[in-house]
Amino acid sequence: KPPWGQSAAGFAEEAALGWMLHLPRLSLFGGAVRLQGLVMASRALIGVCQLNCTGNKEQNFAECQSLVLEGAEHGAKFIFLPEAFDYVAPSQAKTLSQAETLEGNLIQRYLRMARENSLWLSLGGFHERGHDWEQDQRIYNAHIVVNNLGEIVSVYRKTHLFDVELRGHISLKESNYTIPGPGIEPPIDTPIGKVGLAICYDLRFPEISLALVEAGAEILTFPSAFTVRTGIAHWEPLLRARAIETQSYVVAAAQTGKHNDHRSSYGHTIVVDPWGTIAAQCNEGRGICYAEINLDYLREIRQDMPVRSHRRNDLYANLTLQMPNLADH
C-alpha cells in the first residue's frame, strides 16, 4: 500500500496508466516512494532529510551528519536539511542565546562536511544573528546553500514570517525576534539544475515561486517546520500546487514530532515532480528519502503544456525578483 493511503489496486492501476501515458512510474524504495522516469538522460539523485531537532545543538549536528553521510554513501549529489536543522529551542530567550553568525563554528563544520564528502548541502533554516545583533538581539531565518567545495554559494533570508494565531491551537509570532529578509535570491546553478530558495511559510505565497521560475528555477525548495494542525490540512496540497503551477520539482525537507513541551512538527518530508506526482516521501520519524531529478522530463512537461507563455501579463503584473540589499536593513 502506498504511504499516502491510496489502495494497492488503485496504485497499480495508476502506475500502469502512467506507463502508457509516458508519465513517471512510482515504486516503493527504502520507506519512500521514488520517481523512475521513462527517459532519464539528464538526472541526478538527491537526498531529503527529516529531523526531530531539540535545543541540543551537538545532538542535532550528530544526527544531521549521520543522515548526510548515509546520503553520500547512497550516491546523492545534493542533500537537503529542514528549517531549524541547527536547533529548536523551548523559548524565545534560548532561541536567541544559541544563534550564531555564518562565520561561526556550526556553519564552518557543515562547510567541511560538504567539502570532505564532495556534495552540495541545503541548510534549510539557520538561526543567523542579525546585522545589528549587539543592539537589538534579532536574527534572520537563513537558508544556506553550500557547494561540494565547502563554499557558501547563496543565502536566502526568509521573507514571510509566521505570525499566526489559530484559536485554541497555535499562537506563534516569528516577527518578535526575526528580521524579515530583504529580498529573493536568484536561482542557483547546481549539478541537479537551477535551484530556487524559500523557507516554510513562504510556501503559502505563490508569487515567490512564480518569480523564481520566471528567473529560471527548475527546483523549488521549502525546508520547513510545519505545525501539526496546519500540516494535516495544507502541507501536501500546497506543495503539489506549487509544483503543478510552476511545472517544477518541489523539495521539502521537514521537521517531525515533538521538539519540546511547546513545539511539535508535522513531518512528511516530500519531493513532488513537475507533474504534481509524489516522487519521494519519508515515513514517520527521523530519516532520509531519495528522488531522481530528471530535467529532460521537466522540459518535456513545460514544452507540452507551455503555461509560462500562456500567462496574461497584460492583465496582471509580471513577477520579477526583488534583489536583496542588506545594506538597507
Side-chain angles (χ1 to χ4, degrees), residues 60 65 105 116 130-131 151 166 186 191 194 197 227 235 251 282 291 298 312 315 324:
N60 297 335
Q65 183 177 48
N105 177 62
E116 290 170 359
H131 54 280
E151 302 165 335
L166 301 181
K194 284 185 173 291
L197 306 183
T227 68
W235 175 248
V251 179
C282 281
L298 177 146
R312 290 291 304 274
L315 302 180

Side-chain angles (χ1 to χ4, degrees), residues 3-4 12 14 71 77 81 87 105 121 129 141 161 179 210 212 215 220 239 249 273 276 288 325-326:
W4 58 90
E14 184 175 304
K77 302 301 181 186
L81 298 177
Y87 59 90
N105 177 62
L121 295 176
R129 290 186 178 187
N141 188 342
L161 301 184
I179 308 164
L210 292 169
L212 285 166
L220 300 174
L239 291 164
Y249 283 95
D273 78 9
I288 183 170
N325 184 358
L326 287 177

Side-chain angles (χ1 to χ4, degrees), residues 27-68:
S27 67
L28 296 179
F29 180 85
V33 179
R34 295 189 60 207
L35 177 68
Q36 295 179 331
L38 299 180
V39 179
M40 303 295 284
S42 175
R43 65 189 188 187
L45 189 70
I46 64 171
V48 192
C49 299
Q50 184 160 284
L51 300 173
N52 175 236
C53 289
T54 67
N56 187 327
K57 292 172 74 172
E58 282 303 314
Q59 179 179 309
N60 297 335
F61 177 80
E63 291 177 356
C64 289
Q65 183 177 48
S66 175
L67 290 175
V68 168

Side-chain angles (χ1 to χ4, degrees), residues 82-84 88 158 162 172 199-201 222-228 230 235 253-256 259 263-267:
E83 182 181 27
V88 179
K158 188 178 181 183
F162 190 70
L172 292 171
I199 301 173
C200 199
Y201 192 51
F222 295 98
S224 297
F226 247 60
T227 68
V228 174
T230 58
W235 175 248
Q255 292 281 350
T256 189
H259 308 290
R263 283 291 304 272
S264 295
S265 294
Y266 179 63

Side-chain angles (χ1 to χ4, degrees), residues 61-323:
F61 177 80
E63 291 177 356
C64 289
Q65 183 177 48
S66 175
L67 290 175
V68 168
L69 293 177
E70 180 182 334
E73 290 175 3
H74 197 82
K77 302 301 181 186
F78 206 134
I79 307 289
F80 295 79
L81 298 177
E83 182 181 27
F85 69 93
D86 49 354
Y87 59 90
V88 179
S91 69
Q92 179 175 317
K94 291 186 177 179
T95 295
L96 294 173
S97 69
Q98 296 188 80
E100 298 185 22
T101 67
L102 297 182
E103 295 75 33
N105 177 62
L106 185 63
I107 293 303
Q108 297 309 307
R109 293 164 76 182
Y110 279 102
L111 300 186
R112 288 195 296 273
M113 190 188 302
R115 182 171 60 251
E116 290 170 359
N117 293 282
S118 190
L119 50 75
W120 286 61
L121 295 176
S122 160
L123 308 178
F126 171 68
H127 297 85
E128 179 196 7
R129 290 186 178 187
H131 54 280
D132 287 327
W133 174 257
E134 298 302 328
Q135 284 71 41
D136 61 15
Q137 299 281 292
R138 288 164 64 80
I139 62 174
Y140 290 110
N141 188 342
H143 184 171
I144 306 162
V145 174
V146 182
N147 68 16
N148 62 326
L149 301 178
E151 302 165 335
I152 295 176
V153 295
S154 186
V155 180
Y156 163 72
R157 295 169 174 91
K158 188 178 181 183
T159 51
H160 301 95
L161 301 184
F162 190 70
D163 288 0
V164 172
E165 184 167 352
L166 301 181
R167 295 175 188 177
H169 297 279
I170 302 163
S171 181
L172 292 171
K173 196 170 180 64
E174 191 175 14
S175 65
N176 279 345
Y177 55 91
T178 305
I179 308 164
I184 305 170
E185 291 292 328
I188 313 155
D189 287 312
T190 80
I192 66 170
K194 284 185 173 291
V195 176
L197 306 183
I199 301 173
C200 199
Y201 192 51
D202 291 329
L203 175 60
R204 292 183 181 274
F205 304 88
E207 295 85 356
I208 187 172
S209 297
L210 292 169
L212 285 166
V213 169
E214 189 68 22
E218 298 161 316
I219 301 123
L220 300 174
T221 56
F222 295 98
S224 297
F226 247 60
T227 68
V228 174
R229 180 170 174 79
T230 58
I232 290 171
H234 303 147
W235 175 248
E236 184 181 317
L238 284 168
L239 291 164
R240 296 183 74 182
R242 296 296 85 82
I244 293 165
E245 70 196 5
T246 64
Q247 300 175 310
S248 303
Y249 283 95
V250 166
V251 179
Q255 292 281 350
T256 189
K258 184 176 181 179
H259 308 290
N260 53 57
D261 290 340
H262 308 287
R263 283 291 304 272
S264 295
S265 294
Y266 179 63
H268 295 76
T269 286
I270 196 170
V271 181
V272 185
D273 78 9
W275 190 252
T277 303
I278 296 175
Q281 188 171 22
C282 281
N283 294 323
E284 297 299 322
R286 301 177 183 89
I288 183 170
C289 62
Y290 302 93
E292 287 172 328
I293 302 296
N294 181 359
L295 296 181
D296 287 341
Y297 176 57
L298 177 146
R299 291 166 188 142
E300 181 179 299
I301 288 174
R302 291 183 176 184
Q303 180 178 349
D304 291 351
M305 189 182 294
V307 171
R308 183 180 171 191
S309 67
H310 294 161
R311 190 164 287 123
R312 290 291 304 274
N313 291 321
D314 59 318
L315 302 180
Y316 37 77
N318 187 23
L319 295 168
T320 57
L321 297 185
Q322 297 298 314
M323 299 298 291

